[in-house]
Amino acid sequence: MTAELQQDDAAAAADRRGSGCQMLLNQLREITGVQDPSFLHEALKASNGDITQAVSLLTEGRVREPGQDTVAAEPSEAEGSAASKEIIAKVIDLTCDNKDDLQAAIALSLLESPKIQADGKDLNRIHEATSAETKRSKRKRCEAWGENPNPNDWRRVDGWPVGLKNVGNTCWFSAVIQSLFQLSEFRRLVLSYSLPQDVLESCPGHTEKRNLVFMQELQYLFALMMGSNRKSVDPSAALNLLKGAFRSPEEQQQDVSEFTHKLLDWLEDAFQLAVSADSNPRNKSENPMVQLFYGTFLTEGIREGKPFCNTETFGQYPLQVNGHSNLDECLEGAMVEGDIELPPPDDSVKYEQERWFTKLPPVLTFELSRFEFNQSLGQPEKIHNKLEFPQIIYMDRYMYRSKELIRSKRECIRKSKEEIKVLQQKLERYVQYGSGPARFPLPDMLKYVIEFASTKPASESTAPRSHARLPLPVSSVCCPGSDLTSTESPSEEGSSQGAGSTCSSSEGSLHKPRTGVQSPAPSRAPVEVPAHPAPRTVTEEEMHFVRTCLQRWRSEIEQDIQDLKNCIASTTQTIEQMYCDPLLCQVPYRLHAVLVHEGQANAGHYWAYVYDQPRQVWLKYNDTSVTESSWEELERDSYGGLRNVSAYCLMYTDDSLPRFSAEAASGEPDQMSGEVEALPAELKHYVQEDNWKFEREVEEWEGEQSCKVPQMDSSTSSASQDFSSAPAPPAAPPPGARCLSSEHAVIAKEQTAQAIANTARAYERSGVEAALREAFHEEYSRLYQLAREEPPSHSDPRLQHVLVYFFQNEAPKRVVERTLLEQFADRNLSYDERSISIMKVAQAKLKEIGPDDMNMDEYKKWHEDYSLFRKVSVYLLTGLELYQKGKYQEALSYLVYAYQSNTTLLIKGPLRGVKESVIALYRRKCLLELNARAASLFETNDDPSVTEGINVMNELIIPCIHLIINDDISKDDLAAIEVMRNHWCSYLGQDIAENLQLCLGEFLPRLLDPSAEIIVLKEPPTIRPNSPYDLCSRFAAVMESIQGVSTVTVK
């Protein structure tokens, strides 16, 4: 029995190592785009399992400049020259199936490392020892590849959306599935899918059976995404079925559009089986997938002189990106094609057509064509053009029912554009005036003539005559191509050589001897010219006449130019507002999801932004990571034009339908939990079983950790006895410090990336060390200056960066420097070779910081304070936003918690927290509003209303008053509390109903005596203060909206 258990343990360990290795291979394949497994294995072998080094080995061969190549040993001069030429000439191509090239790239990369150059003789011995150590170790996958081994860290929190694990080039699957899953109607259809038993038994072929299996796996996946206790779930079962539909592994990532089409085809076929059981098998109009995703459009036009008209069905509507700047332009270009001359040229035929949507689906998907095939290079390329798109688009202008109106507007736009073209041509004649090759703005030319005419003649100049007119060599006058400016102040030597040099340059041959040209007579007297261009003689009458005419003409021309510009601007505005017709705003579609691609045509990464309607925020779904985002971040990542990241698919939903309306869904925050309860018994049991397995994994891990503690102590003491003279390893930061500082690094990721981008010249000139040094000092100086500036009232620079907070609160210099260094060491900065290199150097410098160099407890405390400061800011902003919406109950909860947490910060310093008076002001306002509302409900004498009013007093107002009184209460707060108490005490002298008297007698003593009992205020919903969300713009918007509101004086 023991032998069998040992065999099982060995097999399990082998499986873990195998799965971990495969996972790392998948990660390398996705990051680098290299598909050959042998290349990936060689890179892993050379890097001893270090994924960062493996990525460097795989990418270095493609990006290394020839001048950067070196050799390990110094050859002779001749050998070195030959070797360098050979290295420069040879290009290592890692994209083809050539193992020798990969070995060469790895060897070259290893030779470039200074450490390996020094220890080159012992390389084999080190590699053998490392391999032996790897065989002896029996680590789990998460320990081997740097994942967090604690399963508690992978527990889902507060119903936050679940991510999907990337199991190798599967980010495309995650982006598409998450976008579809967040459609409540699609989710309902998938989870409620079922077939009668007779249909299941009579499935005719393999395709139908495969589709049914896929539907079942998709149901299991959706059920886990709804009810799992894990942060992310594994989609392998459903994914493996889809992978088989592609012709090669490379296409699994490259052709995401084909995958989406295939996914919808499979779903359509599966639902058609259910429809066929009740109706005509060929009738797809009843298919739920067709009803949800498919629409129709009508194409009509003229082909070869004959009119034609046909109707087509579409799912994902393709749009060309090239030549367009926004989504409406793309749609206009796709709907109208006109006056295109088709070959042959000798028999030209006019061809024009229009497309009109006749039926739009509830879910409207636009496929942006951002990939094209470059015929000259023989490979696909990505289009990085910027393309803007709105959050709400009105589709009326593309509907068949609006055809006549739109045609008239298009004709108006066409005429307006022709008018603009004529106006621009007229304007061009003014701003590019002249008949020669060089043209200038006419107002400037007139201005220069006025300046020339106003210059005093040389005869009237107050300067001495010797300075007013300068001698010109006679040779320059005689030479036809001479330049007066080149001899304005010649030296004696230049004067003696002026003839030859000037004449030679005029013929375009400076050093060639001239033949056949007669030399000027040197005996002629030199000619004098003015030092500055000026009229030789001019009378006052002439001057007055010239100046008057020129100034009048210039004013007239400037007025003409301004009139032309105004006409162009007015006509342009008319075009922009052409479709702002109320009749064309009846079919609104709201943006639901944006699928984003980063990289090039042959490799890259996909993620999705999806609008969460219950939470009313944008969420970023990036494989296992699901984070709160913003429209500003979505714009940066989706519009394109700046980096190699842009949207390739837009998903809109019909905002006029109740089940897709954002307003209807915003009031259902617990919709997902209700759907989990409504799951079929089989799916509910599947979710419960997976959650039970997860809890078992947590228990097993915690049990292993409890058993490891004494072993670690004994091994530590043993090591101290055997290796007492060995130096102590660098101190690792506590988990809390590492976690918070990493989160703060993510918040400042864009600023850090910009600092790295500014070091391009230093990186190319002096290397990675110099680049990191420059980026570090520049960012340090920038943030220090930002912390010292006086911010406007609606801005708080502490929210922009953690170091601004540290500088303003005089944090220790070592805390500041380590924080900034950790931001350059953040793995999220792996954009390009320079970022990766700087990240590696920063990580190495972090490891050099020893236990005596840094007090990690102090470091952790500073980051905890900053995290609490951001939490207070989010509480405050949320409370103010809710107050402006009239939601006083929710606002009060956030403001009370903001005040309490902020008090703990302000004890340490006035700049540790936010301004206390703002929180206190709106806390008072909420209390007074709620007190008035509770009193009005109390006065109705209606049982439900009275109960509601009393609950507001017991659950919100009374606990809040007790908290205020226990603190150092201000005069304004005390006055507000007295107003509320007096209001309720006034009922004692009134003739009120008996039930109201009983209610008043129960809660009034608690209102008047804060020491009667201990009361705990209900905590508001959980927030994420350290999510990479732009708090600065939110803070500015809220503060600007409340500016000018004076403090309420309570009487």
Side-chain angles (χ1 to χ4, degrees):
M1 185 67 180
T2 304
E4 294 177 357
L5 291 175
Q6 291 176 350
Q7 292 176 357
D8 291 342
D9 291 342
D15 290 341
R16 286 195 295 268
R17 288 194 298 272
S19 62
C21 184
Q22 184 61 40
M23 179 180 179
L24 191 58
L25 289 174
N26 293 335
Q27 293 176 352
L28 278 177
R29 184 181 293 110
E30 179 176 346
I31 294 172
T32 63
V34 177
Q35 302 295 332
D36 193 330
S38 60
F39 285 14
L40 303 176
H41 278 291
E42 291 293 343
L44 281 180
K45 183 178 178 181
S47 62
N48 294 327
D50 186 345
I51 185 171
T52 304
Q53 186 178 356
V55 170
S56 300
L57 296 180
L58 288 171
T59 58
E60 201 166 1
R62 279 185 274 183
V63 299
R64 184 186 302 115
E65 294 293 336
Q68 295 175 350
D69 291 333
T70 58
V71 290
E74 289 190 9
S76 63
E77 182 176 355
E79 291 174 349
S81 177
S84 63
K85 290 179 181 179
E86 181 179 357
I87 291 175
I88 294 174
K90 184 175 180 180
V91 178
I92 300 174
D93 185 6
L94 297 182
T95 60
C96 63
D97 297 335
N98 191 338
K99 298 180 181 179
D100 295 336
D101 280 351
L102 177 69
Q103 295 285 2
I106 294 175
L108 187 60
S109 177
L110 292 174
L111 288 175
E112 289 178 352
S113 173
K115 184 176 181 180
I116 295 180
Q117 290 176 16
D119 301 333
K121 298 181 180 179
D122 299 331
L123 181 62
N124 294 331
R125 178 178 56 81
I126 296 174
H127 178 68
E128 291 173 0
T130 306
S131 301
E133 181 63 26
T134 303
K135 293 179 181 179
R136 288 195 299 270
S137 64
K138 296 183 179 181
R139 296 178 297 177
K140 294 184 178 181
R141 179 184 64 178
C142 53
E143 295 173 334
W145 309 126
E147 296 180 6
N148 194 332
N150 188 350
N152 284 305
D153 293 334
W154 292 98
R155 185 182 296 277
R156 187 181 182 183
V157 179
D158 296 332
W160 194 249
V162 171
L164 293 178
K165 292 182 180 179
N166 190 326
V167 291
N169 284 357
T170 61
C171 52
W172 47 272
F173 179 85
S174 173
V176 175
I177 289 297
Q178 291 281 20
S179 302
L180 294 174
F181 173 79
Q182 297 303 324
L183 291 168
S184 58
E185 183 67 13
F186 179 80
R187 191 169 62 241
R188 182 189 65 80
L189 289 173
V190 170
L191 292 172
S192 62
Y193 178 82
S194 63
L195 286 179
Q197 188 63 31
D198 58 338
V199 177
L200 290 173
E201 294 174 355
S202 61
C203 283
H206 168 73
T207 302
E208 289 77 6
K209 294 179 180 178
R210 178 204 61 192
N211 292 345
L212 292 178
V213 174
F214 175 74
M215 281 299 303
Q216 185 180 27
E217 295 298 340
L218 194 61
Q219 285 181 325
Y220 288 148
L221 178 60
F222 276 21
L224 286 179
M225 293 170 71
M226 291 173 60
S228 177
N229 291 338
R230 306 174 190 264
K231 280 185 178 180
S232 60
V233 296
D234 191 343
S236 298
L239 183 60
N240 290 334
L241 292 171
L242 275 171
K243 281 186 174 182
F246 291 88
R247 294 185 295 274
S248 64
E250 290 80 1
E251 294 182 5
Q252 295 170 11
Q253 176 165 346
Q254 293 175 7
D255 203 344
V256 179
S257 299
E258 181 183 346
F259 154 71
T260 309
H261 285 295
K262 196 174 296 294
L263 172 65
L264 294 179
D265 288 344
W266 286 17
L267 294 173
E268 178 188 341
D269 294 343
F271 276 92
Q272 192 63 34
L273 292 175
V275 173
S276 302
D278 302 324
S279 61
N280 184 2
R282 296 186 177 181
N283 183 14
K284 292 190 176 183
S285 62
E286 300 298 325
N287 191 314
M289 286 294 125
V290 174
Q291 295 174 348
L292 188 61
F293 292 103
Y294 290 86
T296 57
F297 64 87
L298 176 71
T299 304
E300 58 181 13
I302 300 175
R303 183 184 296 120
E304 297 179 355
K306 298 179 181 180
F308 70 93
C309 178
N310 56 62
T311 302
E312 300 179 48
T313 302
F314 72 93
Q316 291 178 278
Y317 199 83
L319 296 175
Q320 294 296 325
V321 174
N322 261 343
H324 304 295
S325 62
N326 57 60
L327 185 59
D328 280 314
E329 288 185 10
C330 291
L331 281 167
E332 193 74 21
M335 306 304 281
V336 181
E337 297 178 15
D339 292 337
I340 300 176
E341 291 192 2
L342 300 180
D346 56 343
D347 186 16
S348 180
V349 178
K350 293 290 183 178
Y351 171 80
E352 57 183 9
Q353 70 175 21
E354 291 178 335
R355 294 188 181 93
W356 302 96
F357 291 117
T358 54
K359 178 187 175 184
L360 290 174
V363 181
L364 179 59
T365 304
F366 295 118
E367 177 186 312
L368 305 181
S369 300
R370 284 198 174 272
F371 298 96
E372 63 180 4
F373 191 81
N374 189 317
Q375 297 290 347
S376 60
L377 298 178
Q379 64 183 17
E381 286 186 340
K382 185 178 178 183
I383 302 172
H384 297 291
N385 297 356
K386 182 178 181 180
L387 185 78
E388 299 180 355
F389 47 85
Q391 296 193 57
I392 294 182
I393 183 171
Y394 294 95
M395 297 299 295
D396 307 75
R397 60 187 283 191
Y398 312 108
M399 300 296 292
Y400 182 76
R401 66 190 183 199
S402 307
K403 179 175 69 171
E404 298 304 326
L405 177 60
I406 297 304
R407 280 180 173 175
S408 65
K409 288 184 177 293
R410 285 175 179 168
E411 180 64 20
C412 292
I413 291 176
R414 185 187 65 78
K415 292 180 179 179
S416 298
K417 287 184 177 179
E418 291 179 356
E419 181 181 347
I420 289 177
K421 185 177 180 180
V422 173
L423 293 172
Q424 287 177 337
Q425 289 174 351
K426 292 181 179 180
L427 181 62
E428 189 75 9
R429 297 191 188 104
Y430 284 98
V431 298
Q432 296 291 333
Y433 187 82
S435 58
R439 300 175 181 236
F440 305 94
L442 183 54
D444 292 348
M445 297 176 69
L446 295 176
K447 174 186 175 183
Y448 300 150
V449 174
I450 294 175
E451 292 177 356
F452 171 77
S454 302
T455 305
K456 291 184 179 181
S459 59
E460 300 178 7
S461 175
T462 57
R465 183 173 182 82
S466 60
H467 292 171
R469 306 181 66 83
L470 300 176
L472 184 70
V474 68
S475 58
S476 299
V477 178
C478 298
C479 185
S482 61
D483 186 1
L484 293 178
T485 59
S486 63
T487 56
E488 183 174 341
S489 302
S491 61
E492 295 180 1
E493 182 181 356
S495 301
S496 63
Q497 298 177 357
S501 62
T502 308
C503 292
S504 299
S505 62
S506 67
E507 294 295 329
S509 54
L510 183 61
H511 301 292
K512 292 181 181 180
R514 298 186 58 193
T515 59
V517 179
Q518 185 176 1
S519 300
S523 59
R524 295 183 58 180
V527 180
E528 294 183 349
V529 297
H532 301 286
R536 292 182 180 271
T537 58
V538 59
T539 65
E540 289 293 333
E541 182 180 0
E542 291 174 337
M543 179 65 68
H544 175 74
F545 177 77
V546 170
R547 184 183 289 112
T548 302
C549 291
L550 292 178
Q551 288 178 348
R552 185 180 74 250
W553 293 343
R554 183 186 177 194
S555 300
E556 293 171 354
I557 290 171
E558 288 177 344
Q559 184 62 45
D560 292 343
I561 291 175
Q562 188 61 44
D563 292 342
L564 287 171
K565 290 181 178 179
N566 292 339
C567 289
I568 293 174
S570 175
T571 309
T572 303
Q573 186 177 9
T574 301
I575 294 176
E576 293 174 351
Q577 297 178 354
M578 186 66 68
Y579 294 106
C580 298
D581 191 328
L583 295 175
L584 299 178
C585 298
Q586 307 300 315
V587 187
Y589 271 74
R590 183 179 296 274
L591 187 62
H592 163 71
V594 180
L595 280 66
V596 178
H597 175 266
E598 181 178 22
Q600 300 301 329
N602 57 351
H605 181 59
Y606 295 88
W607 67 86
Y609 290 98
V610 182
Y611 186 72
D612 191 290
Q613 292 183 343
R615 297 178 176 86
Q616 294 189 330
V617 294
W618 283 98
L619 298 182
K620 181 178 181 179
Y621 291 85
N622 191 352
D623 291 335
T624 59
S625 172
V626 182
T627 56
E628 185 176 327
S629 184
S630 64
W631 177 251
E632 291 74 20
E633 182 183 2
L634 187 152
E635 284 181 334
R636 289 195 301 268
D637 286 352
S638 305
Y639 280 1
L642 298 177
R643 299 182 288 131
N644 58 347
V645 54
S646 55
Y648 72 91
C649 183
L650 307 176
M651 196 175 292
Y652 284 85
T653 58
D654 191 344
D655 205 39
S656 63
L657 297 178
R659 64 182 184 273
F660 292 106
S661 174
E663 286 75 12
S666 61
E668 304 175 7
D670 297 330
Q671 177 184 359
M672 193 73 71
S673 59
E675 292 183 20
V676 174
E677 294 299 323
L679 284 174
E682 180 184 2
L683 295 179
K684 189 182 295 185
H685 175 72
Y686 181 77
V687 173
Q688 292 172 350
E689 184 178 358
D690 184 77
N691 287 337
W692 178 80
K693 290 180 181 178
F694 178 65
E695 298 302 330
R696 288 291 303 273
E697 292 174 9
V698 174
E699 293 176 3
E700 291 176 1
W701 185 85
E702 291 176 348
E704 291 177 1
Q705 297 308 305
S706 62
C707 295
K708 286 181 179 179
V709 172
Q711 297 175 4
M712 292 173 61
D713 292 340
S714 61
S715 62
T716 303
S717 60
S718 175
S720 63
Q721 294 173 2
D722 297 339
F723 307 99
S724 57
S725 61
R738 187 190 306 112
C739 180
L740 287 178
S741 60
S742 300
E743 290 176 349
H744 298 158
V746 172
I747 295 172
K749 180 179 67 173
E750 296 294 335
Q751 300 177 59
T752 311
Q754 184 60 47
I756 294 176
N758 295 337
T759 63
R761 184 174 298 178
Y763 178 84
E764 294 173 359
R765 184 176 62 250
S766 306
V768 61
E769 289 273 359
L772 174 59
R773 208 160 38 242
E774 180 177 320
F776 185 96
H777 289 301
E778 290 294 329
E779 191 68 354
Y780 190 101
S781 301
R782 182 184 72 85
L783 295 171
Y784 182 84
Q785 184 64 30
L786 182 61
R788 291 294 175 265
E789 293 175 355
E790 184 68 23
S793 59
H794 60 271
S795 175
D796 191 343
R798 294 174 296 177
L799 294 173
Q800 296 183 25
H801 204 287
V802 59
L803 289 191
V804 177
Y805 181 88
F806 286 179
F807 281 131
Q808 290 190 359
N809 290 284
E810 300 179 351
K813 186 177 181 181
R814 292 184 178 180
V815 172
V816 173
E817 291 176 347
R818 182 186 177 93
T819 301
L820 186 55
L821 190 60
E822 281 197 7
Q823 294 183 0
F824 286 103
D826 184 21
R827 294 182 181 272
N828 294 303
L829 297 173
S830 303
Y831 296 135
D832 50 22
E833 182 189 18
R834 184 169 69 252
S835 301
I836 294 174
S837 303
I838 290 178
M839 177 190 70
K840 289 181 180 179
V841 174
Q843 290 173 350
K845 290 185 178 297
L846 279 176
K847 294 179 181 178
E848 295 174 0
I849 300 177
D852 298 331
D853 301 326
M854 174 65 63
N855 184 346
M856 293 310 300
D857 291 333
E858 180 186 37
Y859 182 79
K860 176 183 176 181
K861 193 60 182 174
W862 274 99
H863 280 277
E864 287 176 348
D865 286 351
Y866 183 67
S867 181
L868 182 58
F869 164 73
R870 289 182 66 88
K871 184 176 182 180
V872 168
S873 300
V874 176
Y875 274 145
L876 172 60
L877 295 177
T878 306
L880 294 177
E881 290 167 347
L882 291 170
Y883 174 84
Q884 291 175 329
K885 296 177 181 178
K887 299 180 179 180
Y888 303 115
Q889 295 187 34
E890 298 88 341
L892 181 61
S893 298
Y894 283 106
L895 292 172
V896 168
Y897 266 82
Y899 190 95
Q900 298 302 117
S901 301
N902 192 55
T903 302
T904 62
L905 289 173
L906 294 179
I907 294 174
K908 302 178 182 179
L911 295 178
R912 290 291 185 103
V914 301
K915 194 174 182 180
E916 190 176 59
S917 59
V918 177
I919 310 177
L921 169 63
Y922 284 89
R923 182 181 62 178
R924 281 196 305 275
K925 289 187 175 185
C926 287
L927 281 172
L928 293 171
E929 291 284 353
L930 288 174
N931 188 75
R933 180 182 299 177
S936 63
L937 292 172
F938 180 80
E939 292 171 358
T940 61
N941 199 19
D942 177 59
D943 288 341
S945 299
V946 172
T947 303
E948 182 182 354
I950 297 301
N951 288 339
V952 170
M953 296 298 299
N954 287 330
E955 297 177 7
L956 283 172
I957 296 180
I958 293 177
C960 184
I961 289 177
H962 287 196
L963 288 175
I964 294 175
I965 291 178
N966 290 334
D967 295 333
D968 188 13
I969 188 169
S970 65
K971 294 181 179 180
D972 292 331
D973 285 338
L974 185 59
I977 292 174
E978 290 303 316
V979 166
M980 291 184 283
R981 287 174 172 174
N982 292 336
H983 188 95
W984 288 100
C985 289
S986 65
Y987 292 118
L988 296 175
Q990 299 179 16
D991 186 14
I992 58 177
E994 184 177 356
N995 62 322
L996 297 183
Q997 292 180 0
L998 292 175
C999 293
L1000 194 62
E1002 289 177 1
F1003 83 88
L1004 192 57
R1006 300 174 55 226
L1007 178 64
L1008 299 175
D1009 185 10
S1011 61
E1013 55 183 310
I1014 299 175
I1015 299 177
V1016 179
L1017 192 67
K1018 184 179 179 182
E1019 186 173 0
T1022 304
I1023 60 172
R1024 288 170 171 78
N1026 292 325
S1027 62
Y1029 178 81
D1030 191 7
L1031 275 181
C1032 299
S1033 58
R1034 185 180 172 192
F1035 183 91
V1038 173
M1039 290 303 166
E1040 285 178 351
S1041 66
I1042 67 174
Q1043 272 186 349
V1045 179
S1046 59
T1047 305
V1048 175
T1049 303
V1050 182
K1051 297 182 180 179

